[in-house]
Each structure stands twice: as structure tokens, then as C-alpha cells.
Amino acid sequence: VKPVEPKQFFNNDRIDEHWKLMRINIAFRVEILRSIKPFREFGFYEELADIVCPPYSDDRFPTLESFESFVNKETRKMGVPHSTIDVFRRNVIGFKAGMDKRDRRYFASGKGRRMMFERNLLPCSTTVIIVPDALLEHWAQQVRSHLNLNVFADSNEQRGSEFGVCYIDGVGDLSLARFPLNHKSTLDLPSIFDLIGYTIVVVPFSRIKQQFDNQRKRKKDESSLNLKSEVDYSSNSPLLQLRWFRIVVDEGHELGENPAGSDVTLFINEMASERRWVMSGTPTTGDEDDINYTSKGLDQLQRLLMFLRHEQYGIIPAGGGGGGPPNDDRSSGKKAQAKTEFVKQIKKPFLRKEEIGRKELYRVLDQVMVMHKKSDLNLPKPIFKVSEVDVRVPTVTQSAIISGMRVKNMDEATATLSRLGVLNRINQIMPYFKGNRKALFDTLLNAYMHTDVFQNEVDRSMGDYIVSCLRQQRIDLKRRGGAIVNTLAPLTAVNDSIICQKGWDDRRPIKAVVYSTSHNDLVGVAEQLYTSFDESNIAEMMQGKISSMAYELGRFRHGKKEGKFCPICNGWNEFTGQKLLGCHKTLLEVEDSDGNIFLIEQERIHRAVSRNEYQTHYNQPWMPKNGQAVDTARMGQDVSLTRYGVSVRHWRVNDVLCINGQNEHPLLQSRWSQQQWRSYGADQCRRNMQREGYEGRDNYFGPIPNRNEDLNYKQLFVKLRKWQRCGTFHSRPNWNQRRNRMEGYYSGPTLEDVEISAQKEDTFILLLDASLATGLDLSFVTHIFLLEPIDDAALLEQVVSRAHRLGCQGPVIVDTIHTWPKLDPTTEAVAKQLKSASCDETNKKLSQSICDHCYRSFPTLEIAEEHELTCERNPSGNAVVDPFHLSSVYRDIKPPPPLLVGETREDAKSSDPQNR
């Protein structure tokens, strides 16, 4: 049973008594006319006013409810919008509160005014879930996997769809209830009457921030927050005009992280609801080893209690939903009072290690917190590896370093730095030429290692290592019989201990995450991966719009992409949340030696014509004249002319190309005939082309012209004229006001006429930037490659927990890639003689081990195993836990016991000795 209206708190008897006196009083006309003021713009207003204005001499409207019901019925009959009728409903609530004399003092209080404000909102039974942008796709996946959406369908046609769930800003792999984000402040949310029709509404943080900015612009002066005045509710965000059944904030620890509150948290705190949930992997943030962790964590908890509206240690703001913090003095005073009470009763006694403070903190958290830990689950332990990757230092560079140690004057030292490419650091390095040889060797080598040249080599080496690992893993998986995708996998990782045994046959699909805290390093390694794998094999979550992030994660998770095939050129257009209006596939307009101008696909290009070939065959009749050959220097070092069609950056107007001129290409879709193109406007297209001197945007994707219609040319030489999108070439007829003429011609089917379809693809790599990794569910991942060591135990745990979590079907391999400069034997001998740091094996950290419980790093396995015996997180250890460390209180919060038949939650909780 889902509530629709908030709990009634008016005294109906007193209101009925007051109404009997007012219905015969002419002075009451003012209140009645004020309530129906929203209908003044409609033609029936005068007639309605004559009927409802007191005094009532007959039996009209014996109760306030009958008056309200009559107005609602008449206005609906006249087609008045729901939004206008809702303003009338709010006005009635306003003077209903004034008629209940007993509660006037209560309504004047901060809590009462907040309740009055919420009664003016439209009540609904909808749950709104507010999530980080990167988690929009994750929530769509979880809803689809764990909720039976069919129960919300009104008809058989809707069964199996996403009925009942609205994803604001859309999700890449959904086909219903999309609201694509175009990052414009003018983009409106669905109306409140659309939103209340859903059971779940999922909203990303970016849209909350946008709504806050809009509200701040629209916000009126302080008098507009007075509920007894005429408030323009239509100017508020739809999210603030509803009284939600439940607000759920994912990664909700952000609500308590900032003392002043961010724009997102300020807006969320203004939203009204019956129930409030905070979901987080950690209630508070910070390093548990920090001496101030407990103090800062208690402050964060108090701010979370404010959001939860805790009666003793939180605050119920008395605001008007204006998109900002409440500015009422009494509200601010009560907020300070709640914080003072929390400090007095909990924080100070707890920090002084007084038992009364710990008991009170436990009591409050036991009321509001439900905590589940990974130790409660039978999860397979992650496998940690540290891999050394050698990065070869060029021989020329090594020679420059060796010779630099024998310089005799300043000029020779400058020449050495120039050869190393570090002349910009001459002031920092020059003093070392006068010092000992070891310091000079290490300084020169370290300076070179920080150059862009060496960093490119680091990226290449790391990329090659990842490629070799994944290729070998995929080969081994294929030898074992291939991947097994279990779509009915249990929620827990393993219910059978055999999964952790040595002989277990892991047949999960290979899914790898490449993670880095440095965006530049991740981009550099990505370039290397793209040279070894197809674009379809790699998904990116490095930066970009919310729709593209959700789309990329959907590709990586499901191994499929959504989009449309163009009906004209059969080009694939990926759907990333934006509406697909025109085909994005690039077509090239070319001209043959006979002067025929036509369109071709990139796939038809065999090669670009070199200077030597063009000069040799220039006088042949099939070679286009007045073209230009393609210089190999333009293509880049070691890049063949056959790669010309791969990238648009190689293209220039008048380039001479060798293409496949067959109309029936074995790998491409057959083109429409000339007769069919005439029916779609080809004749008008040719007239437009001639009018523009063949320099305009129009052309059509017709058959390739040949000298002999009975002959298909496998090699045809053409000259490149221009290139643009298929949708631009084939534009609909439209009136150009600037040129005062009709343009365009195409009348055939376009991309808009095609339904979105899904295509399978083998996507097994996700490039993940640290800034977008928070909260992601990657339980299906088998490998995580860390491009740099993570010494922060909390950060390492956060990264590993993306895959080591509820739902994983096996252990995840966490491979930390450690790069090391590789020197020639001669240079290495010199380095060992000097005892250089480049030869210190301890710096390689190959023996580094990580605690399975707290994720701290240790230099050897023996030290790590010794630590695990006393690790505070080890449930089987013998650690002495500080009861006045905040984390110890969290660990004492136990999951709620399962309910028995006929038992309530409170009964179960009170019977549990752990919780008692």
C-alpha cells in the first residue's frame, strides 16, 4: 500500500464549525475569490464567481469539502490544466489552516510552517533516486536486473518494457522514457504531472546542479517565501513542487562532506518527502589512520542527520523550496541548536572517551543506519600482482649521459643537456656537474625520464604489456572452451567454496579495467591500445557528457551498442542519448577523369596515389588531371599510403586516390538505382549542384558511373573534391531566408524513420579515469590494471571494490604496472659501479604485498601476513580495537535480522542480542 496524501493534521470539527459561520458572511467573499483567482484568465470565471461567493442563502456548499469538490468538477469539465487546478488546491489549504484556530500557534513555528509548505506541494507515491552522473547506467542495470517492472504495466503491450521508471537525461541502453541531456539551461524537466505517473524517477547530480542554478536565477525577494502570500509555484523546479514518497541519495556521504554544503546538497535538502534514505559505501570520508578522523567523521554524521530530519540532532528547515538554503532566522537558530545538542551529548563525550557518549552515538546510529559489510559475504579474495615493465632508454641517450659525466666546461655540459632534450632545466641540473659522479648520473637519467619522449615510451610499454596480457588470457579462455555468460547469476559471488580452490575452471568473459589517477597517462596508454585493438573493443569513461558515459559503460557491461543503420548509405550511427536526426557517416565527393562527380564511402579507398605514380601515369586517359599526389611525409613516419582512408586528418582537396569502382562491392550495401533516386529528388539535386557550381552541399548516393556499363572497375582513379556527413549531402527541402530561396531536395527515408536497434560487439576494455570511478558496479570485471602504484589504502580499497563486491562471480586480478628504465649492459655496469638508484632492486617493489582486509601495502609477504594477525578488520584476528574510534562503532552496527511470519521489524530488532 503506497501513501498518496500526507497524514491529516487539521481539526476537521473546528474547520466545519468555522465554515458554517463564514458561508453566511459576505466578508468571506475575499477569501473565496482569492482561492479561485487562478481561473481568472478563463471565460467562465465570472459565472463561477457568482455561484461560489457567499453568503449562501440556500443549501449550497454545506462543507468546505463540497465547495472544493464543486470547483474541481466544474474546472475539469471546462478543460482547465492540472497545474492551474493544483494552485487552487494549495490556496484552499492556506485558508483551511487559518480556520483551525487551535493550531495557529503551531503553524507559526518553524516545523509547522515547513509542514504547511509541504501540504501545499503535490503529494505522490513516487521514489526519486539522486545519483552521480556516472552511475545512471548502473542504476538502470540494477533496476532491470532486480525489479519486476511488469507489475507496473497497465497492458500486455507494456510488459517487458521500462514502464514505471523515468531516467532523467536518458540511458544508452533503454528504449523508453528517455529525456536526453543537451547541457542547455533552457532544457526543462518533465512536468510534475508526468513525474507522478512513474514509480521511480532517477535524476543525476548534474541535473540537480542545473536546477539549483535555475532556481537561484528565478528566486524572488524574501517575501516570496511567505506561504500566506501568493507564491508563483510554477517558477519552482518540478522536483520542488512534489512531496515525494521517498528520496534516495546514492553516494550520500557527499551530503555531510562539505560543512557549507554544495549546490547539489543545498537543493536536495529543500526537497520534500515522507522518507529519506542515504546510500553510501562509507558513512563518512577520510583516512582512518588520521588523528582527526573521528572528530571530522562526527561532524559529517551530524550533517547527515540534518538531511534525515532527525528530531533531536537534525533540523526540519522552514523554507519555501526556493532553491537555496532557508534564510529564516528561527530556522538557522534551530539548526545551530541541533548542532550544539549533538556536540554536547555525543561529540565531546565521545572524544573524551566517555562511555555515555559512545552509547548515545550507538543508539542514534542503530536507529537510522542499516549496515552490511563485505565480511558478511563469501566473496573470493582479490589477487594482487606487481608487474615490472622495462622501458628501454635509447642507446644515443645513454651515450649522452656517459659522455656528460666527462664534460670539462660549460659548453660541453650545455651540449649534453641539449642532446638529452632537457635544456629547459639547465639551471637546476648545472650545479650537479661540479658534484659527485653518482649524483650527476642519477640527475641526468631522472631528467631524461621526465621528458615527453620517454613518457611516450612509458605509455607504449605499458600499453604493450596490457595488450599481451589480455591476448594471452583470451587465448587461454578459448582453449578452455570459451566464455560462459551466466545471465541468472546469484546475487552473492559464490555459494560454493570450489570457486576459490586451485582447480576451479574460470570461464568468465575477460573484462579488463585500465585505471589511472592521471588523465594524461590514461590518454597516452589509450592511444597504444587503439593501435592494437579495434575501437569496438574499447570503452571510455575518461571525460565527456553524462549520456556518453552511460553509453560507454553500457557497451562494456553488455557487449552491445545501440544505434541506427542509415537507409541511404547503411552507415552505423551510435545512439548516446541524443536524438538521431541525420546520418553522421562521412562520405567523400570525388571526380573521375571523365568529369563524373559522385559519392563514395571511406571503405572504397585502396590507397592514395604517390608522387611517383601520378607523374608516371599522368598522361593516361583514366588518370584525373589537375590533381595532387599525396606526399608520404603527410601520412607520418612508417605509415603506408594504404592507410589514407582511415583518418580524415590525411585528406586534402584535389588528392588523387585509387578506389574500388564496383557498384556491387562485396563488403558494402548495394546502392539504389537511378530510377529510385529520381523518385527521391535526384533531378532537383543535379539542378542544385549546377546552380552552386558543384561547390554546394547537395549530392546523392547514386550508382558509380562507369565508361562501360557492362564493366565494373575494381580500380578507379579519382580526385577528391570535398567530404561531409551523409545527412548533410541528403538534406530535406527547406527555405533559406538569408538567400531567399528553396534549398535541399531529398524526399526519401532518413535516419529518423529507422528504429533503434542493438548490435553485438566484443568490448572487453574500459578506460577509467579516477574522477569517474566512484560508486560504479563492475562486479563482472576480471582484471584491473593500475597504471601507477596506489599507496593510499583507502583509495586502493575504493578502486578494488568496484569489482570486488556483491555480484562478482570470481576473484579479480589487480595488476599494478611498475615501469623501470632498461639500460644497456655497458651503461648498467657503470650504474652499478656508481651504486645508482636505477640499479636498486628494492625500488622495483616486486615483492610488495597487500593486506586482504585493510588494503595497506607492505614490502614483503611475511610482513603482510604478520600484520593480518593483528589487523583490526580481520574478523579472525586478535587485534585490540579502540572502542572510541569511529570505525569501531560502525562495525558494531549489525545487519537487521530476517523477519519471521507475523513479526514486525521492531520485534525482530529487539529480540536480536547483538543489536540489543
Side-chain angles (χ1 to χ4, degrees):
V1 178
K2 291 174 281 189
V4 176
E5 289 284 352
K7 184 179 178 180
Q8 183 64 264
F9 62 92
F10 292 118
N11 188 321
N12 291 325
D13 293 337
R14 291 185 178 272
I15 291 176
D16 290 342
E17 180 182 347
H18 201 113
W19 176 262
K20 291 178 182 178
L21 298 175
M22 297 180 69
R23 65 185 299 274
I24 59 174
N25 189 347
I26 193 172
F28 189 49
R29 294 171 60 93
V30 177
E31 295 293 337
I32 293 295
L33 291 174
R34 185 178 296 165
S35 69
I36 65 172
K37 182 180 178 180
F39 309 123
R40 185 175 294 179
E41 61 185 76
F42 297 93
F44 62 86
Y45 173 78
E46 295 295 338
E47 181 181 354
L48 178 65
D50 291 339
I51 297 175
V52 300
C53 281
Y56 309 134
S57 57
D58 49 18
D59 294 335
R60 281 179 300 163
F61 315 129
T63 62
L64 177 59
E65 285 73 16
S66 63
F67 160 76
E68 185 176 5
S69 176
F70 173 80
V71 174
N72 285 334
K73 181 179 178 181
E74 293 299 316
T75 51
R76 289 194 181 101
K77 187 188 303 181
M78 302 303 295
V80 177
H82 289 290
S83 56
T84 306
I85 297 176
D86 191 63
V87 176
F88 164 72
R89 180 189 66 83
R90 293 164 173 169
N91 291 341
V92 172
I93 291 177
F95 69 77
K96 183 187 292 186
M99 296 165 64
D100 189 355
K101 296 182 180 297
R102 184 197 63 168
D103 290 333
R104 282 185 177 180
R105 178 174 296 181
Y106 173 75
F107 295 146
S109 67
K111 186 175 182 180
R113 285 185 290 121
R114 176 69 193 190
M115 293 184 70
M116 277 298 302
F117 165 72
E118 293 196 8
R119 265 58 184 183
N120 276 277
L121 304 178
L122 183 63
C124 65
S125 58
T126 305
T127 293
V128 59
I129 304 175
I130 304 172
V131 304
D133 291 15
L135 298 188
L136 193 62
E137 185 275 343
H138 159 69
W139 272 93
Q141 172 66 20
Q142 297 302 307
V143 168
R144 175 175 292 172
S145 300
H146 304 303
L147 294 185
N148 182 12
L149 298 179
N150 289 336
V151 300
F152 305 120
D154 294 330
S155 62
N156 291 330
E157 289 77 10
Q158 293 173 333
R159 295 191 179 277
S161 70
E162 302 294 334
F163 189 80
V165 185
C166 173
Y167 298 89
I168 305 298
D169 296 338
V171 174
D173 60 347
L174 296 183
S175 59
L176 192 67
R178 286 192 176 107
F179 293 88
L181 177 66
N182 61 11
H183 292 276
K184 294 181 180 178
S185 59
T186 56
L187 184 65
D188 294 328
L189 289 171
S191 71
I192 57 176
F193 302 101
D194 290 331
L195 292 176
I196 63 176
Y198 294 100
T199 303
I200 300 173
V201 174
V202 186
V203 186
F205 279 1
S206 61
R207 180 49 67 92
I208 296 292
K209 175 65 167 63
Q210 181 203 53
Q211 293 295 296
F212 178 88
D213 293 339
N214 291 347
Q215 290 298 118
R216 184 160 47 187
K217 294 175 183 178
R218 298 171 181 174
K219 190 175 180 181
K220 307 293 176 63
D221 56 9
E222 293 186 8
S223 62
S224 66
L225 297 178
N226 186 355
L227 294 178
K228 294 184 179 181
S229 65
E230 298 175 4
V231 182
D232 182 13
Y233 290 96
S234 61
S235 66
N236 287 343
S237 165
L239 301 178
L240 296 177
Q241 295 184 55
L242 293 173
R243 187 177 191 273
W244 304 91
F245 172 52
R246 183 188 293 108
I247 295 178
V248 181
V249 183
D250 196 6
E251 298 300 322
H253 54 264
E254 295 190 13
L255 294 170
E257 198 168 5
N258 189 346
S262 64
D263 293 350
V264 172
T265 60
L266 291 175
F267 188 93
I268 293 174
N269 274 296
E270 282 298 293
M271 295 173 64
S273 69
E274 181 176 326
R275 304 177 185 183
R276 293 169 177 267
W277 289 7
V278 171
M279 298 184 62
S280 175
T282 171
T284 52
T285 58
D287 184 359
E288 292 186 7
D289 295 330
D290 186 354
I291 191 174
N292 296 317
Y293 171 78
T294 297
S295 177
K296 294 178 179 178
L298 289 172
D299 290 336
Q300 293 180 38
L301 281 177
Q302 197 274 327
R303 290 190 283 270
L304 290 178
L305 292 176
M306 288 169 51
F307 166 74
L308 296 175
R309 305 289 194 259
H310 191 274
E311 292 185 357
Q312 186 176 359
Y313 301 119
I315 178 64
I316 302 178
N327 55 9
D328 185 271
D329 293 338
R330 284 172 292 184
S331 175
S332 301
K334 189 171 181 180
K335 177 179 177 179
Q337 181 182 354
K339 184 175 182 180
T340 302
E341 187 73 8
F342 181 85
V343 172
K344 178 182 177 181
Q345 300 294 335
I346 295 180
K347 183 178 179 180
K348 285 186 177 180
F350 190 86
L351 294 179
R352 290 197 297 261
K353 299 190 175 183
E354 297 176 4
E355 188 65 26
I356 187 175
R358 193 182 194 279
K359 285 184 177 180
E360 179 64 8
L361 176 61
Y362 178 84
R363 182 190 69 82
V364 173
L365 293 183
D366 196 39
Q367 286 179 344
V368 302
M369 179 183 291
V370 176
M371 175 171 283
H372 292 271
K373 311 177 188 69
K374 280 195 287 190
S375 57
D376 301 329
L377 306 172
N378 188 19
L379 294 177
K381 295 181 179 180
I383 301 172
F384 292 96
K385 291 175 55 180
V386 180
S387 301
E388 177 189 356
V389 175
D390 291 333
V391 183
R392 180 169 180 77
V393 179
T395 304
V396 177
T397 301
Q398 298 182 50
S399 300
I401 294 175
I402 297 298
S403 61
M405 299 175 63
R406 298 190 294 266
V407 298
K408 298 179 181 179
N409 52 53
M410 190 70 68
D411 293 338
E412 293 181 358
T414 303
T416 298
L417 298 182
S418 179
R419 291 174 61 190
L420 293 176
V422 295
L423 198 57
N424 58 327
R425 301 180 60 186
I426 186 171
N427 295 331
Q428 292 88 356
I429 301 176
M430 196 59 71
Y432 289 94
F433 283 99
K434 301 178 182 180
N436 61 66
R437 299 178 68 213
K438 173 182 178 300
L440 178 59
F441 182 90
D442 288 340
T443 300
L444 293 177
L445 180 59
N446 185 65
Y448 171 74
M449 290 170 59
H450 283 82
T451 61
D452 292 339
V453 175
F454 185 77
Q455 289 303 313
N456 290 337
E457 286 298 311
V458 170
D459 295 340
R460 183 189 62 77
S461 300
M462 297 177 84
D464 290 344
Y465 171 77
I466 295 173
V467 169
S468 62
C469 286
L470 292 180
R471 281 178 173 168
Q472 187 61 47
Q473 290 289 335
R474 287 165 63 86
I475 291 173
D476 294 342
L477 179 61
K478 188 174 182 180
R479 287 174 179 170
R480 296 196 301 270
I484 298 177
V485 182
N486 184 10
T487 58
L488 300 177
L491 294 180
T492 54
V494 269
N495 296 320
D496 193 342
S497 59
I498 193 174
I499 200 169
C500 299
Q501 295 178 0
K502 191 173 182 180
W504 175 61
D505 187 15
D506 189 355
R507 299 276 295 277
R508 293 174 296 161
I510 301 299
K511 295 282 186 178
V513 171
V514 180
Y515 174 92
S516 178
T517 55
S518 169
H519 179 76
N520 292 335
D521 291 348
L522 190 60
V523 171
V525 174
E527 292 179 355
Q528 291 301 127
L529 296 178
Y530 277 116
T531 61
S532 302
F533 297 119
D534 294 334
E535 290 186 7
S536 61
N537 301 140
I538 302 174
E540 295 184 5
M541 283 193 66
M542 297 190 289
Q543 61 183 1
K545 299 178 181 179
I546 178 174
S547 55
S548 60
M549 289 190 296
Y551 172 77
E552 292 293 309
L553 189 56
R555 287 181 53 227
F556 180 61
R557 184 189 305 277
H558 305 297
K560 67 178 183 180
K561 57 183 179 180
E562 275 196 330
K564 298 180 179 182
F565 283 107
C566 175
I568 302 173
C569 67
N570 200 41
W572 175 257
N573 294 262
E574 294 181 349
F575 179 82
T576 60
Q578 303 287 353
K579 187 175 182 181
L580 295 174
L581 298 177
C583 177
H584 291 182
K585 181 179 176 64
T586 300
L587 299 179
L588 297 86
E589 184 180 272
V590 296
E591 181 181 357
D592 64 13
S593 59
D594 291 340
N596 297 309
I597 299 175
F598 52 95
L599 302 180
I600 64 169
E601 310 94 322
Q602 292 177 248
E603 293 83 355
R604 287 186 177 273
I605 301 176
H606 285 317
R607 67 180 185 278
V609 175
S610 66
R611 188 181 304 277
N612 182 47
E613 182 181 10
Y614 190 55
Q615 291 176 349
T616 302
H617 302 290
Y618 183 80
N619 294 324
Q620 296 294 330
W622 38 262
M623 181 64 72
K625 305 302 183 287
N626 300 322
Q628 65 178 14
V630 178
D631 192 352
T632 54
R634 186 206 302 176
M635 301 290 294
Q637 186 177 5
D638 300 329
V639 178
S640 170
L641 292 177
T642 58
R643 304 283 294 175
Y644 180 90
V646 174
S647 175
V648 69
R649 67 172 182 236
H650 301 147
W651 303 352
R652 303 291 186 275
V653 174
N654 288 330
D655 282 351
V656 180
L657 312 175
C658 177
I659 68 169
N660 187 312
Q662 294 175 290
N663 269 304
E664 297 299 327
H665 193 283
L667 301 180
L668 298 175
Q669 181 185 18
S670 298
R671 301 191 177 200
W672 294 336
S673 65
Q674 285 287 6
Q675 181 179 2
Q676 188 170 0
W677 271 109
R678 288 192 185 96
S679 66
Y680 292 151
D683 294 337
Q684 180 62 44
C685 176
R686 283 190 288 268
R687 287 192 290 270
N688 291 351
M689 294 169 64
Q690 294 172 359
R691 180 185 64 191
E692 298 292 340
Y694 297 94
E695 297 295 333
R697 58 189 295 178
D698 292 335
N699 206 330
Y700 65 96
F701 195 65
I704 296 177
N706 293 314
R707 291 186 182 84
N708 186 343
E709 294 184 359
D710 297 329
L711 179 65
N712 279 326
Y713 293 93
K714 292 186 178 180
Q715 284 197 356
L716 182 64
F717 290 86
V718 296
K719 179 174 62 176
L720 179 60
R721 293 178 55 86
K722 60 173 175 280
W723 59 91
Q724 60 187 3
R725 293 177 176 179
C726 170
T728 306
F729 276 118
H730 307 92
S731 58
R732 295 284 194 187
N734 62 93
W735 182 261
N736 189 321
Q737 293 184 350
R738 185 174 61 87
R739 295 188 174 186
N740 194 29
R741 69 183 186 189
M742 183 66 70
E743 294 186 346
Y745 70 94
Y746 182 67
S747 61
T750 64
L751 206 63
E752 294 183 72
D753 304 318
V754 181
E755 294 294 331
I756 294 177
S757 61
Q759 297 291 318
K760 290 184 178 180
E761 61 178 358
D762 186 14
T763 307
F764 56 89
I765 298 177
L766 175 66
L767 304 173
L768 182 59
D769 191 281
S771 61
L772 302 175
T774 304
L776 291 179
D777 178 10
L778 302 175
S779 55
F780 54 92
V781 165
T782 57
H783 295 73
I784 298 178
F785 293 97
L786 305 179
L787 299 187
E788 59 274 325
I790 301 178
D791 297 325
D792 185 346
L795 178 59
L796 179 61
E797 180 179 13
Q798 183 187 44
V799 174
V800 176
S801 295
R802 298 310 100 223
H804 182 240
R805 61 191 297 139
L806 187 70
C808 66
Q809 297 297 301
V812 58
I813 299 175
V814 183
D815 195 345
T816 301
I817 304 176
H818 189 75
T819 57
W820 197 256
K822 180 66 175 177
L823 303 176
D824 293 339
T826 304
T827 309
E828 191 172 353
V830 175
K832 288 182 178 180
Q833 183 180 1
L834 296 173
K835 298 182 178 180
S836 168
S838 62
C839 296
D840 188 353
E841 294 292 330
T842 60
N843 291 333
K844 295 187 177 182
K845 301 182 180 181
L846 294 181
S847 60
Q848 188 180 59
S849 296
I850 296 173
C851 174
D852 291 332
H853 305 285
C854 67
Y855 292 87
R856 291 184 175 92
S857 300
F858 298 93
T860 64
L861 177 62
E862 291 75 14
I863 299 177
E865 291 178 341
E866 183 179 353
H867 161 79
E868 286 186 353
L869 297 176
T870 58
C871 180
E872 294 181 353
R873 293 193 181 184
N874 185 0
S876 304
N878 54 9
V880 178
V881 179
D882 180 7
F884 291 95
H885 193 277
L886 187 57
S887 61
S888 70
V889 183
Y890 294 155
R891 282 193 286 270
D892 286 347
I893 304 295
K894 304 300 181 182
L899 287 176
L900 301 178
V901 177
E903 187 179 31
T904 65
R905 173 60 65 192
E906 290 300 323
D907 294 336
K909 194 170 185 179
S910 61
S911 63
D912 184 8
Q914 291 179 327
N915 286 36
R916 191 168 64 238

